[in-house]
Structures are given as structure tokens and as C-alpha cells.
Amino acid sequence: TEAPTAEPTATPEPEAVMLDIKERDGGVVAMATGTYGIATDGSVRFIGRSVSGQHYVFDWEDVVQLAASDNTTVGLTSEGEILITGAHRDDFAEATQWRDIVSIAVGEAHLVGLRRDGTVVAVGENSSGQCNVEEWSRVKKIFAAGNYTVALTDEYGEGVYDTIYGAWGERTEGHNFIDASAAADHIALLDDNGKAYVCVISGEASRDNASGKLSELDWSGIVSVVAAKGATYGVDGRHMLLCSRGAIEPEEVQSGVYGVAAAEHHLAVLYIDGTVKGFGSNDDMQCAVDNWRLLPYVTEDGYVLGYSEGDMLAGELYRTGLEITIPDALTGGERTAVAVLLGDLNGDGAINNEDGELMAAYLGGEKDKLEGAFLRAANIIADSADPDAVDKVDRDALSRHLAGTYVIDQFAKTDVYTDKLAAAKRINTDALGYITIAGTNIDYPIMYGDNWYYHTRSITGGYIERGSIYSYWPTAGKNIVITGHNARTSGTMFHQLHYVQDTRAKLEEYANRLWAINTFGETGYWEVWALYEEGAFRDANDSSLVYNTCYPKTMEVMNEQEQQGWIFYQQGKTELGYSVSVTPQDVFITLVTCGDTHAASEQGSRLYIFLRLVGRD
């Protein structure tokens, strides 16, 4: 036998997977008692009931992905930083040291991260092997729910790893799955032919009770799937919403859909124009998302809103007047529109003092200074009273933005207070917010003036004994104190806070204790967590007024232990029949008015209502 003349050719190693972190995009996420929104500017919204601190997301920035269980929230920034809040914050702490993470997924009590090289890391509860992912490789996407983890690989015909089944090759043969979604009771999968499949998990996820059988849904042309307990949702190439049996089905056909999030009892739909609607149970206000805008959009007059200062589009700085080509999701083609950066009146892509000078010149009579897109950029607050007008309300918003006490909303959202606050500011720009309380006659702007000016002044500045509702401070802080007279004779101002006290049993229903209040131009949803009235003191200086309002300093000077002591003090005196988990991470409003009788008020009697921020548009 002749000797071989050459070495056998070795089988080449497959090229390494190199993944990139996703770009910022709008999206929605749902958990049992709440809904999250991620806007294209990287900010996060939340509405619903938070029992474990999972709502502490309002100061998160540059977020590109959000994952949530019923008690924990995890965010991933464009720089790969992992942010964690909620019940498992300490359990997941080591994840903040992970590097090269491009995607995350959260189960009931475990967190999974996908690295740039296609390997996977996990932390948390591992009772069912849900964290046994160390040997996985060439992974492109990860998903988690309950006590299991799912991964899609880049190997055609195999495509799936799973901590329930292990390598799932024989069950996925013949399919090339490109996306998936995990719920406690099933996995939804999407293949490259636009077909959707479901794999049911019977009972608690484990190898012993998972069938591993794929059932095809009678759908076609699907581009994304979402699994929720008891139901599967899909979005097709026409941007239509499809719902499986057992799903929450909106009464009307849902078109123009950009994204979907679902929990067992509610559904959130994000539309192409950036708006969001909620369907299903609203017991915890989890469907109160109608005021959200999460995506840039084209206005009826052809302008683009929703991009931020410093954003780049196709290599160009986003600025007012720039003609841009954007995808038309409804047609699949493209369209041109003119960019508007609210506050950028000169079209240089920055919001600065030069824009303030242009605003002043225009309002001073030089109408030729602004026209077209540049005039639209000056119309920062488009309230319905005069939506196209540029006036002192817009000048005030720009001035406060330049002063750093307000941030212009580039999405130009509107809510229940947009018109009310704009009307108040046309009378007096000292109006910094607005408060209404359902079931009472409290419906007033919140004023601020130095030296307690509005204690005896109306919104017009005229003397009036009952004064106005006013803030202790001109800027937002950790404890925003708002006060007003107990005008017993007229029954106005904060007098009817005593009605809230008398009917406090109503606050045991969550929706009744969640109040929408606008402070410093931003509407938040605030939960009442303590309420009590102090009686008369022999010496009025012995009352809790100074301590409760943190005056003349602010709560920021307290350390965390002192803030916790302040919280315990209020909880120890509350008259409410329910308890709320409150921590120093919360932001507060303290409402104060005089006691129920004039004589007692003279001796330091005060009614206090304490609220914490739990939702934001």
C-alpha cells in the first residue's frame, strides 16, 4: 500500500459568534401588577403596584433592554452596565460585575446574561438547574421564565438549548428558529418562515413534566411572538396583533402595532406612533399607559418629534430643519420629514442661550425670526387652548430647561395637567405644578414665591387671606412639600384633605390612593402611604412640622439611616388601615394643612398626608 502523500484536511472550526448590544429602541415590558416602557431616549417609565421596590427605575438612563419578574427589574445600558432593583437586587449583585453583556433575561429568581462571544452566564436560584448554562456556546438570543432558561443558537436545524430539555435538537429538527419568548407554562418560538410554535410546560418547569412537543399556531407572516401565562401573542408583517386562545383580546382589531408585552391578566400594546394602550385587568393601574410616548413619530403637519439633543441620524447631528428619511413601518417603504428638536430654534442641534434670545425676540414682536420647523421648535408646550401658539408658557419651559430645573419633553406628551398648567402659567409663570384629588374640590395650580409669598396671595399676586396652594421650594427634591390653608368657611384650598382623612378607608383600594400630581412640570403617580393629624400642643414649636417637612433644610442632607427613621416615624403615627413598603430610595410628596379647628391650629395642629412616587409618564 502506498503511503499517503499529504496530510488529511482538518475540519475547519466554526467562526466565533460576535454579537453586538442592541441600539436604543422603544419597547414595553409587563409583569403581574405593572407595566414598563422604554423610550428611544433610554429613559424608563413604570405604572402599577410595586411591592418590592421594582419601580425604582425613574432615574435610569441610556437603557436599551429591560427584563422583569413579578418582584425584580433589571436593565441593560448601551455601555453594557447592568442595573438592578427589587426583591433580588442583592441576590443578583454579582451581575453588576459582568462584562461584555449584550442581552439579559430574568426568571422567577434568576438572571441570565448573554456575552458578546455567544457564551452565557447566570446568577440566582438554581434549584431546577436554570443557571446551568456555563457550557452553552454560539448562543444568539436568551430567554427565561419561572425556573428555566432558553437559548437560540446559530446552528441551523438544532437551534435551541434549554435548561429543561438540555440540547433540544431532536425536537427542533427542520426548523430555523429566529426568536422566542418564555412564560411560566410554555415557550413560544418563531421560525424564519414566519410560523409560530408553542411548547407547553406542564406544571412547574422541570425535565420530568415537560413534553417538549411543538404545536404550530395557525398563523403566518409573523415577525415577533410574546408568551404570557395561558396565552401567546404575535405581531405579523402588516403590524397586526394576533391572539391565541385564552389571550386577552382587545375589542377592536389592533393594527399599527410595533411591540407587545403581556402578563397573565393584562396586555400592553406599543404602536408605531409611539403611543401605548393597556387591555385587561387594571386593578393595580397597570393599564394606565395612555399618556406614554416611546418612539419618535411624524406629526400631522409633517414634522418629526421624539429625538434627543445630541442624537445622530445617518451620520448627521439631529437638529431642527434637517430633512430626514425615515422608515414607514406601515408601508414598508420610506418617507421624508423635517426634523424638530424642541428648544433648538436656530437649527444648530443644541439648546442654549442663543435659542432663548430668539424666543425673546419673537415674543417681542420680531415674528420674522421664526417660521416653519423653527417656529414649531419654539412651540414646546402644545396645549389644546392654542396648540400652535408660541407664548410665555413656551418661554418659561425653555428658560427653566436652560436653568437646569426642567427638561424639555421631546416627545411632546400631553396628560390631564397639560392644559390646566398651561392656563395657570399664562396668568403667572410662578405656577410650577398642579394638583387635583378625585372626590374633593381640590383642583389648583401649585405656586412658588420667595418668603412664603403665596401664603396670602392668589395666582394673580393679589392679597387674599386664604392664599394659594404652594410649594416650600422652587425646585424638585427628595421630599416635595406642598401646603395650603384649611379654609374652613369657604371649604376651599386644602380644607377637603380632611374629607380624605374622614373617608380614608377608601384608600385601601389601590386605585383610590394613587394620585396624579404634576410637580415642576412633570406628572407623576403618587401613592398615599401615611396620613395622620396631630392635635394641639402646649407649645406649637413642639409639633412635628419642622421634622416632617425637613425645613429649613431638605431631606437630601439626611443620611440613609436618618431617612429610614423619618419613614418609620410617619408609619408609626399613620391612621391608615393598610401598610406600604417604603424605603429611602423613594421620592416623596408631603401635603400639609392646618388642623380641623382654628384653635388647635394655632397650637401646632396639622394634618399630614405622605405620598411616594410609583409611576411616571
Side-chain angles (χ1 to χ4, degrees), residues 57 66 99 118 147 164 200 235 269 319 321 421 430 448 461 493 500 552 594:
V57 297
L66 200 73
R99 295 294 178 264
N147 295 328
I164 304 171
V200 174
V235 178
V269 179
R319 60 189 185 275
L421 183 55
D430 281 351
Y448 175 79
M493 309 319 291
V500 174
C594 289

Side-chain angles (χ1 to χ4, degrees), residues 205-227:
S206 73
R207 289 179 183 270
D208 297 331
N209 58 20
S211 68
K213 294 180 180 178
L214 292 176
S215 300
E216 183 178 341
L217 295 173
D218 187 22
W219 298 346
S220 62
I222 304 302
V223 296
S224 66
V225 289
V226 172

Side-chain angles (χ1 to χ4, degrees), residues 360-617:
Y362 178 85
L363 294 178
E366 299 180 55
K367 301 301 182 184
D368 59 338
K369 291 287 187 181
L370 298 173
E371 59 183 18
F374 305 98
L375 182 59
R376 180 65 186 86
N379 188 201
I380 296 168
I381 307 295
D383 59 295
S384 62
D386 201 351
D388 299 321
V390 175
D391 56 23
K392 64 189 294 185
V393 179
D394 303 296
R395 181 177 60 192
D396 175 70
L398 179 56
S399 297
R400 290 191 296 119
H401 178 93
L402 295 174
T405 60
Y406 173 75
V407 177
I408 292 173
D409 172 25
Q410 295 298 336
F411 291 101
K413 299 186 299 291
T414 58
D415 59 43
V416 65
Y417 289 122
T418 302
D419 292 349
K420 288 176 178 287
L421 183 55
K425 281 183 173 290
R426 288 195 179 94
I427 299 171
N428 187 343
T429 54
D430 281 351
L432 297 181
Y434 210 99
I435 181 170
T436 62
I437 299 176
T440 75
N441 62 3
I442 295 172
D443 186 350
Y444 299 108
I446 301 168
M447 311 299 294
Y448 175 79
D450 291 338
N451 301 316
W452 314 103
Y453 182 79
Y454 288 100
H455 189 72
T456 54
R457 300 281 177 170
S458 71
I459 188 173
T460 62
Y463 177 84
I464 184 169
E465 187 175 0
R466 65 173 178 260
S468 298
I469 304 302
Y470 62 93
S471 167
Y472 269 38
W473 292 288
T475 56
K478 189 169 180 61
N479 183 22
I480 301 168
V481 181
I482 302 169
T483 189
H485 285 294
N486 176 10
R488 302 173 189 84
T489 302
S490 63
T492 58
M493 309 319 291
F494 268 177
H495 174 71
Q496 288 206 348
L497 288 182
H498 287 276
Y499 172 77
V500 174
Q501 178 190 23
D502 294 341
T503 59
R504 56 190 175 276
K506 294 181 179 180
L507 300 178
E508 295 180 18
E509 183 176 334
Y510 186 72
N512 291 339
R513 67 173 183 263
L514 199 65
W515 298 353
I517 302 174
N518 184 289
T519 56
F520 307 100
E522 186 167 15
T523 298
Y525 295 85
W526 301 80
E527 180 184 13
V528 178
W529 59 273
L531 174 158
Y532 61 87
E533 182 173 354
E534 285 190 328
F537 293 82
R538 180 172 297 178
D539 183 340
N541 292 323
D542 292 336
S543 79
S544 301
L545 180 62
V546 170
Y547 181 64
N548 287 352
T549 60
C550 312
Y551 187 81
K553 299 180 180 180
T554 64
M555 184 173 278
E556 282 77 2
V557 304
M558 294 181 177
N559 60 37
E560 184 172 323
Q561 184 177 1
E562 290 170 332
Q563 291 176 10
Q564 188 64 68
W566 182 89
I567 292 167
F568 286 157
Y569 182 81
Q570 317 310 340
Q571 290 174 327
K573 301 187 72 170
T574 187
E575 300 170 7
L576 297 175
Y578 60 89
S579 61
V580 176
S581 176
V582 183
T583 79
Q585 287 185 267
D586 281 301
V587 176
F588 305 104
I589 282 179
T590 299
L591 303 181
V592 186
T593 195
C594 289
D596 211 19
T597 68
H598 178 74
S601 298
E602 290 295 304
Q603 292 301 117
S605 176
R606 296 290 184 273
L607 172 63
Y608 302 96
I609 299 180
F610 301 91
L611 306 96
R612 65 171 189 153
L613 181 66
V614 294
R616 182 168 282 170
D617 290 335

